[in-house]
Amino acid sequence: MQKTEGEESKAENEEVKQVTLMTSDGVKMKVEISIVYEMEIVRSFIEVNDADHSVPFPLPNVSSHTLDLIIELVKNEYDDEFMKTFSHDELKEVLVAANYLNMKTLLDFIATAIANLLEKKSVEFIRNFFNIVNDFTPEEEAEIRKTNEWVFQDLDED
Amino acid sequence: MAMATAPILPEDLILEILSWLPVEPLMRFRCVSKTWDSLIFEPYFVKLHRERSSKETQVLLKFKDLNDVTNTWATFCSAPRLIQNPSSSLDDNRRYRLNPLNFFFGSCNGLLCLHESFVIYEYEEHWVRFWNPATRIMSESSPRLCLHSSDYPAKTSSMKYGFGYDHQNDTYKVLAMTLDTQRQQMNVKVYCMGDTCWKNILTCPSFFTFDQVGYSVSGTVNWIGLPTEEDQPETPPNCEFVEIFSYDLTNDTYRYLRVPDYVFDELPFAEPYLGVFNGCLCVSLDQKRSNFIILLLKEIRGETSWTQLLNISYESLQISIASYVDVVFLCMSDHVMLLANYEDSKFIIYDLKLNRIERTEKFSNPFHILSYDYVPSLVLPR
């Protein structure tokens, strides 16, 4: 059966609805265009170049696991409950990826979530979480703790 | 396959996370490392943090025990928490004791201004210090404003103070207005935070204010009062309308905003109060000894647009009308508002949607309470 012109362009649009992304671990993932459009870095490329969508767009800094998490988060409209199942490393990986992909909403969402997680934590927990070496002498640290005593109350257990 | 290693976050992403935290944990995290200690007070980060927390408005309360003024305190908390339990919010163990001889004014980007003075016969000195209640950092004293009675025959009590932020020049400014009774003028002096001196800016016609201190909102400082009569600048005039004297900190100009639909009479019955609520000027007024009204001024710079937040009879607020009514608006969350009635020493929690009192609560002590719109910040007082 012969296609009319309208049907033909409709079929083309349907093809455009997915973009293939190539993750750092070499996995090709077909992702809905509505989700890809939140990734400014990919979006600007697709929009500027009349690119061939069958060629995978390389994301050398994002693993397939992280991309899976991001897709789920966006699909679920940034569901808090789903995000709570993430490990600390997963949170950090998503944050780094959101920054690289230039996903503003996701970046704010994940940064806020990590901030909430850290709000009641001790200084030791923070150093561990961010891999930070304490370069204060014990005296210097004790001095800051003493002048700001009131901020060291009611903390979570590490 | 390579071993999965925990990602190490670059500094800009760490700051991205930290910018969403309240001030208290950030003060704790100064201990993390020397780099963090300085990062947290970097102007770039302070600004980012302020922008991100600008909607987290809290209520700062200043209260003094009328039986013992050495019991003068400041504390802050969120409006919902305060409304839920006003008395215990005042007893919070994080409250901060204030010197009863000093007063503070202005609440702007998390900073307050404290006034101190030294007065002897025919000579007085005034200075301020800046205070950030969230970081508990207080600045050194500002240079002194020295006044000789030969220059300024007016008494200290007629001086007016204001504090606000000039967005255009990124400067915190203190305003002091002295009254020149002979010329019936006010002399406006400005001190910019961190500067070395007070500057004479302008003179303007004298204006009778109900409150010595002004309230700052979007780059202006405002006093509520009455235009004065020619010959008696220090006494309330026999005048029927109330105005707001609004000083623009960026352009050093002033203008008068008429408070609408309001007839001022019988002065001692109830004084109008000015305040700031959610970034808007807010005026509480008595209406004909029968109603308590609250008006909001939505936009101070453009065309004035007043809206009425509340108009209610004293009877509905269970306030007995004696010779004087003293009720103030402290805060509001959703449709529930917290008022303080000093005559009976009690809090009134009023539901605007249901148009009824939700409950009342006695003060634990005979306190006098003032509330300020307040956003905790990292801004460093200088």
Side-chain angles (χ1 to χ4, degrees), chain A residues 16-48:
Chain A
V16 177
K17 277 183 181 162
Q18 286 199 328
V19 175
T20 308
L21 303 176
M22 167 87 94
T23 60
S24 60
D25 44 349
V27 179
K28 287 180 196 165
M29 292 173 76
K30 282 194 169 177
V31 184
E32 276 175 44
I33 196 132
S34 63
I35 296 174
V36 173
Y37 268 180
E38 287 204 26
M39 306 172 179
E40 279 300 324
I41 190 170
V42 188
R43 182 190 184 135
S44 55
F45 184 81
I46 296 174
E47 282 178 352
V48 172

Side-chain angles (χ1 to χ4, degrees), chain A residues 90-107:
Chain A
E90 283 171 336
L91 284 172
K92 286 184 248 184
E93 277 154 9
V94 172
L95 183 81
V96 171
N99 186 52
Y100 167 71
L101 297 167
N102 201 356
M103 300 176 77
K104 181 75 183 113
T105 313
L106 180 64
L107 184 70

Side-chain angles (χ1 to χ4, degrees), chain A residues 67-131:
Chain A
L67 190 58
D68 270 335
L69 295 177
I70 290 177
I71 292 165
E72 280 308 303
L73 272 175
V74 178
K75 266 191 190 158
N76 292 309
E77 293 172 341
Y78 304 106
D79 178 22
D80 265 320
E81 289 308 310
F82 173 58
M83 198 230 12
K84 279 181 189 150
T85 64
F86 290 16
S87 70
H88 291 168
D89 283 349
E90 283 171 336
L91 284 172
K92 286 184 248 184
E93 277 154 9
V94 172
L95 183 81
V96 171
N99 186 52
Y100 167 71
L101 297 167
N102 201 356
M103 300 176 77
K104 181 75 183 113
T105 313
L106 180 64
L107 184 70
D108 286 355
F109 176 75
I110 286 290
T112 316
I114 299 176
N116 289 339
L117 172 83
L118 303 179
E119 187 173 339
K120 293 275 177 195
K121 299 296 186 199
S122 71
V123 170
E124 292 72 19
F125 183 97
I126 301 298
R127 285 185 191 130
N128 234 332
F129 188 91
F130 290 107
N131 277 306

Side-chain angles (χ1 to χ4, degrees), chain A residues 119 121 127 132 135 151 154, chain B residues 28 31-32 34 36 94:
Chain A
E119 187 173 339
K121 299 296 186 199
R127 285 185 191 130
I132 289 172
D135 54 358
V151 298
D154 317 321
Chain B
R28 182 165 68 247
C31 281
V32 167
K34 285 181 181 168
W36 277 44
R94 286 167 203 216

Side-chain angles (χ1 to χ4, degrees), chain B residues 176-346:
Chain B
M177 299 198 288
T178 57
L179 192 62
D180 181 337
T181 43
Q182 275 161 8
R183 294 192 188 86
Q184 291 154 35
Q185 282 177 339
M186 291 190 300
N187 296 306
V188 177
K189 295 159 192 303
V190 169
Y191 172 68
C192 300
M193 186 168 84
D195 227 346
T196 51
C197 63
W198 291 79
K199 289 181 184 130
N200 285 311
I201 302 293
L202 54 82
T203 57
C204 57
S206 63
F207 183 79
F208 173 84
T209 63
F210 297 106
D211 196 341
Q212 190 181 7
V213 301
Y215 289 82
S216 78
V217 47
S218 38
T220 64
V221 183
N222 305 276
W223 285 263
I224 191 165
L226 305 160
T228 51
E229 304 246 312
E230 288 278 292
D231 49 345
Q232 291 190 318
E234 275 185 274
T235 52
N238 179 21
C239 154
E240 290 196 331
F241 55 90
V242 172
E243 284 186 336
I244 289 168
F245 174 82
S246 181
Y247 191 94
D248 182 323
L249 291 170
T250 300
N251 302 315
D252 286 312
T253 53
Y254 58 91
R255 60 191 192 123
Y256 302 91
L257 308 168
R258 177 89 167 261
V259 178
D261 307 326
Y262 174 69
V263 176
F264 183 77
D265 61 353
E266 301 174 85
L267 176 68
F269 187 68
E271 274 186 9
Y273 277 103
L274 194 62
V276 178
F277 170 66
N278 280 354
C280 300
L281 269 191
C282 161
V283 184
S284 333
L285 303 156
D286 160 74
Q287 196 178 47
K288 297 180 179 164
R289 297 190 172 215
S290 71
N291 278 40
F292 179 64
I293 55 179
I294 301 175
L295 303 173
L296 286 182
L297 181 58
K298 292 277 183 198
E299 170 59 60
I300 187 124
R301 286 180 178 274
E303 277 301 299
T304 55
S305 56
W306 292 89
T307 52
Q308 191 170 275
L309 186 64
L310 180 74
N311 185 346
I312 189 174
S313 69
Y314 293 120
E315 203 182 347
S316 317
L317 287 176
Q318 297 175 13
I319 294 172
S320 52
I321 307 172
S323 56
Y324 189 77
V325 168
D326 198 1
V327 53
V328 297
F329 168 53
L330 294 178
C331 69
M332 187 163 116
S333 169
D334 288 330
H335 45 88
V336 181
M337 119 190 317
L338 179 68
L339 306 167
N341 176 18
Y342 296 120
E343 286 295 285
D344 299 346
S345 294
K346 71 183 184 192

Side-chain angles (χ1 to χ4, degrees), chain B residues 87-98:
Chain B
S87 302
S88 74
S89 301
L90 297 187
D91 284 331
D92 189 287
N93 60 3
R94 286 167 203 216
R95 66 189 183 169
Y96 194 94
R97 190 189 281 271
L98 296 168

